[in-house]
Amino acid sequence: MATVNPGFFQSTLDRRLRSELMADKDVKWALQRVDKVTTGLGFTARRRLLSNALRLTRSMAPGVANALAACKEVLGYDKPVEVFVKPDPMINAAAVYNPPGNPIIVLSSRLIEVFTEAELRFVMGHELGHLTFEHFSIPMPATAIVEDAAGVIVPRHTALKLYMWCRAAEVSADRAGLLCGKDPEAAASGFFKLASGLSSGFVKPDLEAYARQVDSLVSAPSARAKPREDDDSLDCFSTHPFSPLRVRAVVAFSKSRKYRELTGLAASGEGLSDEEMDSIIERDFREMDPSYLEEKSPHAELLRRALFLGGLLVAHAHEGVSERELQALSALLGSEHVGAMPSVDAARRELKDVVARVRQDAPTLERARLLQHLTLVAAADGNVAEEEFMELQAMAEALSVPLSLVDETLRGAAHPLD
């Protein structure tokens, strides 16, 4: 396949959110601060890899070298890239931005053992996509949590937007991977292996069925004819998920006019238009958007109150509620929704009633989204104390959503652009 201009297939949401964030004054200051704090750390990252990983050469791993060369040709990426393999029983991969040295792609030894050639091109194309789109120009999660003398620079509502951009960036990188692998089924099996750690041929991943898991979250339980076996699949709300949402975005791209023309699979004009493809992605991302923070309705007010009260209890759990934490909640919710701070006992009593109403009125998706935002508030300073985690666990139980959602959100917040 000939070289493709990455601008032709970049996610519209990725492009728009990045443009808005790069123009934000708080993000600009945070980026300056991150650059000052991290200058020179690139060499440290490479030295660390040299001590506990193996740099692959073409003679050592010709298959890996060929996959990288093919991906670079498709994406028009002409800069040197080093590839390291790290001894690891888990299946994972990551790109490392390494100024002033060359970028690095790190693959686990388990991934190299169990991925097929097409799957390897997909995952390496994904990581190379992050480098091609220069996603590391907004380093995450550092930009969301970096501090100056006054505290965390980026307010919480902007931090949520940064994490949403990370998810949109994953869509662009997945498209790069699909173009490099040229095989939607290989993308499906790659997703499945990354998510499950399984490599057995006894389980055959179904791309479309996996993508349909999103539908079980968008509708309320009462709207379904019968329970579905995938109702507990809430991992699409983490900041960097191997999730049904990402898979559905890949499905949409694989059926798009643009993909089919670029790969020579169909005559011009066949497939989904850009508008149709983007509408699918925008709809799914809209379900994850913290829109209730701005909406004016009794239901949105109920969700905001739950976030405020839950945020107070999480903040109080570890060394009490500080003025800075109260300011953070005000930045997220707006000062008009914060008001006077109740006592801890009063907040806990009110929250019990508020959460009961949320559990009754809100579909699974909204309850999951509420817990995700509460988790991001707790994690915005880069650390979640054990006492805070216990409060999040209680909130998950009260909202009838799995605690694993907290784990996935914390994991994604720590590694949003792997």
Side-chain angles (χ1 to χ4, degrees):
M1 189 171 75
T3 298
V4 178
N5 183 342
F8 289 167
F9 63 86
Q10 183 179 17
S11 160
T12 302
L13 194 60
D14 172 11
R15 186 185 297 111
R16 176 173 63 78
L17 289 176
R18 174 174 165 162
S19 176
E20 293 173 0
L21 288 165
M22 292 298 284
D24 184 281
K25 62 179 180 60
D26 293 315
V27 172
K28 288 180 179 179
W29 172 232
L31 289 173
Q32 292 178 25
R33 183 66 179 167
V34 169
D35 183 63
K36 182 178 180 180
V37 170
T38 61
T39 296
L41 293 183
F43 284 135
T44 303
R46 189 175 187 279
R47 283 199 303 270
R48 190 163 54 246
L49 282 169
L50 287 171
S51 66
N52 61 17
L54 176 67
R55 186 169 70 88
L56 294 179
T57 63
R58 174 170 287 279
S59 60
M60 289 178 183
V64 174
N66 290 337
L68 176 61
C71 292
K72 291 177 70 173
E73 182 177 359
V74 169
L75 301 178
Y77 193 86
D78 58 2
K79 301 173 185 176
V81 177
E82 293 185 291
V83 180
F84 282 77
V85 58
K86 191 171 184 178
D88 193 339
M90 303 296 290
I91 300 174
N92 53 53
V96 179
Y97 187 55
N98 184 45
N102 297 325
I104 296 169
I105 293 177
V106 183
L107 306 173
S108 70
S109 53
R110 177 67 172 160
L111 183 147
I112 292 177
E113 288 174 344
V114 303
F115 266 44
T116 66
E117 180 182 346
E119 291 166 353
L120 184 60
R121 286 200 308 268
F122 171 75
V123 75
M124 293 194 73
H126 172 97
E127 302 303 343
L128 196 63
H130 281 311
L131 298 171
T132 301
F133 288 116
E134 299 183 344
H135 287 148
F136 294 101
S137 61
I138 305 181
M140 285 290 289
T143 305
I145 65 175
V146 68
E147 299 183 356
D148 60 11
V152 177
I153 296 171
V154 173
R156 298 308 193 262
H157 63 277
T158 305
L160 289 173
K161 192 173 184 179
L162 281 163
Y163 285 115
M164 178 165 284
W165 167 73
C166 287
R167 292 189 289 265
E170 292 300 315
V171 171
S172 294
D174 284 340
R175 291 180 179 180
L178 187 58
L179 285 169
C180 291
K182 294 181 279 191
D183 185 348
E185 290 306 314
S189 57
F191 271 121
F192 181 81
K193 289 177 180 179
L194 285 162
S196 67
L198 297 174
S199 60
S200 172
F202 289 108
V203 181
K204 180 174 175 56
D206 183 328
L207 191 66
E208 303 252 9
Y210 192 24
R212 283 197 298 271
Q213 291 185 31
V214 177
D215 294 324
S216 72
L217 301 173
V218 174
S219 60
S222 60
R224 303 178 201 154
K226 59 182 180 179
R228 293 173 52 150
E229 63 181 3
D230 53 14
D231 280 353
D232 62 346
S233 178
L234 291 171
D235 61 343
C236 67
F237 297 98
S238 65
T239 55
H240 177 215
F242 295 116
S243 69
L245 186 148
R246 278 179 62 191
V247 175
R248 182 140 80 180
V250 166
V251 171
F253 185 56
S254 72
K255 293 182 176 180
S256 71
R257 190 175 305 160
K258 183 166 291 181
Y259 174 77
R260 294 186 176 190
E261 290 175 356
L262 290 173
T263 54
L265 295 177
S268 178
E270 294 184 13
L272 298 174
S273 67
D274 286 355
E275 292 74 17
E276 290 170 324
M277 180 173 54
D278 284 338
S279 70
I280 293 171
I281 296 168
E282 293 268 2
R283 182 193 65 189
D284 285 344
F285 273 75
R286 205 160 40 238
E287 299 300 336
M288 301 172 71
D289 186 59
S291 56
Y292 68 92
L293 300 176
E294 306 293 338
E295 291 174 0
K296 298 186 184 302
S297 70
H299 184 67
E301 182 60 40
L302 178 68
L303 294 174
R304 284 192 290 267
R305 191 62 180 170
L307 182 59
F308 170 62
L309 294 170
L312 283 180
L313 293 177
V314 168
H316 182 270
H318 181 64
E319 299 179 350
V321 182
S322 68
E323 183 64 26
R324 195 175 77 185
E325 288 170 324
L326 191 59
Q327 290 172 350
L329 277 172
S330 296
L332 179 63
L333 292 163
S335 57
E336 70 275 16
H337 299 298
V338 175
M341 187 174 69
S343 68
V344 173
D345 289 340
R348 198 173 296 282
R349 287 194 300 270
E350 184 182 354
L351 182 63
K352 184 177 180 181
D353 175 65
V354 168
V355 168
R357 291 162 58 198
V358 169
R359 191 172 59 241
Q360 177 180 339
D361 299 341
T364 305
L365 180 141
E366 287 189 345
R367 287 181 275 123
R369 184 177 57 182
L370 177 62
L371 183 64
Q372 181 205 30
H373 294 161
L374 187 60
T375 303
L376 289 177
V377 169
D381 62 356
N383 179 59
V384 176
E386 182 66 26
E387 299 91 337
E388 293 172 321
F389 185 82
M390 295 300 291
E391 286 290 347
L392 291 170
Q393 182 177 22
M395 193 73 169
E397 182 177 350
L399 289 168
S400 297
V401 294
L403 181 62
S404 60
L405 176 60
V406 175
D407 297 328
E408 286 297 312
T409 302
L410 292 174
R411 180 186 67 81
H415 305 284
L417 286 175
D418 280 356

